[in-house]
């Protein structure tokens, strides 16, 4: 997907007023991981911009995690949430003349976070390939408990760390195997 804007670091940056679509994947031809956002700027003009990288960096992993969670109607919570949100926004803002803010990107309900974008407007391409990366598996393992339904958390007493660790050992591989776009 081609960018429809030319980056000029000498121009003043513009604020993004709404993110409409997110696409994450791996471009096999270019051998690059990518994040594409379609958004409206402060002047109500629509743009599509892509951030590409040869390495699967941690912020892009967070974009993938949040995107998958949104598609599953899951809100994420973790002690590292502030770092994750900061790194996602920073990752985008370093490469783009159009600036994101955490307030624009995330909905917060008592420390449980999700993207404000409609889950139907999120695409994760090449999920099988992405899942083959150890860093993807480790991040999903770290946030696995967020994907467990509340009734199961209560019944299995997963708010207790020992019980949660045991549940993770017994159930994570099945969960991870079944992740698809």
């Amino acid at each position: 997907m081609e960018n429809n804007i030319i980056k000029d670091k000498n121009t003043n940056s513009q604020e993004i007023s709404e993110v409409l679509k997110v696409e994450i994947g791996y471009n096999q031809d270019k051998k690059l991981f990518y994040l594409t956002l379609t958004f409206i700027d402060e002047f109500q003009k629509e743009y599509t911009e892509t951030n590409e990288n040869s390495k699967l960096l941690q912020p892009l992993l967070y974009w993938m995690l949040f995107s998958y969670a949104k598609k599953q109607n899951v809100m994420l919570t973790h002690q590292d949430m502030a770092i994750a949100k900061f790194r996602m926004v920073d990752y985008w803002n370093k490469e783009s003349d159009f600036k994101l803010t955490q307030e624009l990107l995330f909905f917060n309900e008592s420390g449980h976070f999700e993207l404000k974008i409609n889950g139907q407007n999120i695409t994760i391409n090449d999920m099988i390939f992405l899942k083959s990366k150890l860093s993807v598996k480790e991040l999903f393992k770290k946030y696995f408990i967020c994907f467990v339904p509340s009734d199961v958390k209560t019944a299995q007493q997963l708010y207790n760390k020992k019980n949660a660790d045991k549940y993770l050992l017994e159930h994570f591989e099945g969960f991870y195997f079944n992740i698809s776009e």
Side-chain angles (χ1 to χ4, degrees):
M1 186 175 288
E2 293 295 315
N3 295 353
N4 62 359
I5 57 176
I6 298 169
K7 293 181 185 166
D8 180 358
K9 295 300 178 188
N10 296 322
T11 62
N12 291 331
S13 63
Q14 296 180 50
E15 294 289 326
I16 294 174
S17 64
E18 182 181 3
V19 177
L20 303 173
K21 295 180 184 175
V22 173
E23 182 179 342
I24 297 168
Y26 183 74
N27 183 320
Q28 298 285 349
D29 296 332
K30 294 181 176 181
K31 306 285 188 234
L32 295 172
F33 297 95
Y34 68 89
L35 168 65
T36 299
L37 297 185
T38 300
F39 54 89
I40 297 173
D41 73 1
E42 57 197 318
F43 303 109
Q44 300 305 302
K45 186 171 178 189
E46 186 174 312
Y47 293 92
T48 297
E49 188 172 344
T50 298
N51 181 334
E52 298 175 317
N53 201 297
S54 61
K55 296 180 178 156
L56 185 55
L57 300 175
Q58 190 71 27
L60 187 57
L61 291 170
Y62 287 130
W63 274 96
M64 192 173 97
L65 175 73
F66 269 92
S67 295
Y68 181 75
K70 181 66 177 195
K71 292 179 78 56
Q72 301 302 311
N73 294 313
V74 169
M75 295 186 83
L76 300 173
T77 185
H78 193 276
Q79 63 192 17
D80 294 341
M81 194 56 59
I83 294 167
K85 294 185 314 160
F86 171 81
R87 291 185 76 187
M88 287 171 67
V89 169
D90 188 55
Y91 177 76
W92 180 262
N93 288 347
K94 279 184 178 177
E95 297 297 323
S96 178
D97 290 329
F98 294 87
K99 302 305 176 195
L100 274 175
T101 64
Q102 289 186 29
E103 294 75 22
L104 176 75
L105 196 57
F106 300 103
F107 175 73
N108 176 3
E109 185 178 301
S110 303
H112 291 76
F113 295 89
E114 70 178 354
L115 293 175
K116 286 185 177 177
I117 303 151
N118 183 323
Q120 294 176 338
N121 294 332
I122 296 173
T123 305
I124 304 172
N125 294 317
D126 303 305
M127 185 58 103
I128 302 295
F129 174 76
L130 293 170
K131 279 176 44 182
S132 73
K133 302 298 180 187
L134 181 61
S135 56
V136 172
K137 187 173 187 175
E138 291 301 316
L139 187 65
F140 273 91
K141 187 179 282 188
K142 182 177 178 179
Y143 285 85
F144 169 64
I145 205 75
C146 297
F147 292 92
V148 177
S150 295
D151 59 332
V152 174
K153 286 181 194 172
T154 302
Q156 299 287 326
Q157 298 178 5
L158 300 183
Y159 300 102
N160 172 299
K161 180 165 174 30
K162 183 179 174 187
N163 293 345
D165 290 346
K166 182 177 185 267
Y167 189 87
L168 173 79
L169 284 172
E170 295 171 353
H171 295 91
F172 176 74
E173 290 299 328
F175 162 78
Y176 195 71
F177 178 81
N178 288 311
I179 290 177
S180 62
E181 203 293 308

